Amino acid sequence: MEEALIIFAVLASVFIYSELVTAKRKINRLERKIDTLLKNNGIIYDDKLHISKEVLSSIAAGHKLKAIRLYQEETGVGLKKAQEVINRLV
């Protein structure tokens, strides 16, 4: 009886390990796809900020209010949060 339990535990461990490896591969593939999409669409990814090419161009051109408005439209944040983000980038 104990042998059967040990065999079951080993088989279950192997199965779980195999599923974890498969899940990790899928996650890595999804991350590469997302990175490609971000790069191709001119989006700079930062864990705290998601700034589009249009917003960055507006900042570079000195159009701070336009950058704030664009950032609000793209992210749905309020005016205060948008101002904070754009001010950090200026």
Side-chain angles (χ1 to χ4, degrees):
M1 183 69 172
E2 287 180 24
E3 290 176 8
L5 204 53
I6 292 172
I7 291 172
F8 176 76
V10 169
L11 289 175
S13 297
V14 169
F15 175 76
I16 291 170
Y17 176 78
S18 145
E19 290 297 312
L20 288 173
V21 168
T22 301
K24 183 167 176 65
R25 283 187 195 134
K26 287 179 180 179
I27 290 169
N28 287 338
R29 193 172 339 124
L30 286 170
E31 287 177 341
R32 286 192 307 271
K33 287 179 180 182
I34 290 170
D35 289 341
T36 301
L37 286 170
L38 291 171
K39 182 180 176 185
N40 290 342
N41 287 296
I43 299 171
I44 295 174
Y45 178 78
D46 182 335
D47 287 335
K48 299 173 188 142
L49 301 174
H50 305 280
I51 310 298
S52 71
K53 189 178 355 180
E54 290 80 15
V55 172
L56 293 174
S57 296
S58 296
I59 292 170
H63 303 291
K64 185 176 169 182
L65 294 177
K66 180 179 179 183
I68 292 170
R69 181 182 49 81
L70 286 170
Y71 185 78
Q72 277 185 282
E73 290 172 1
E74 293 172 2
T75 62
V77 299
L79 178 61
K80 184 176 180 178
K81 178 66 177 173
Q83 286 174 326
E84 291 172 3
V85 170
I86 300 305
N87 286 334
R88 277 190 267 156
L89 297 171
V90 174

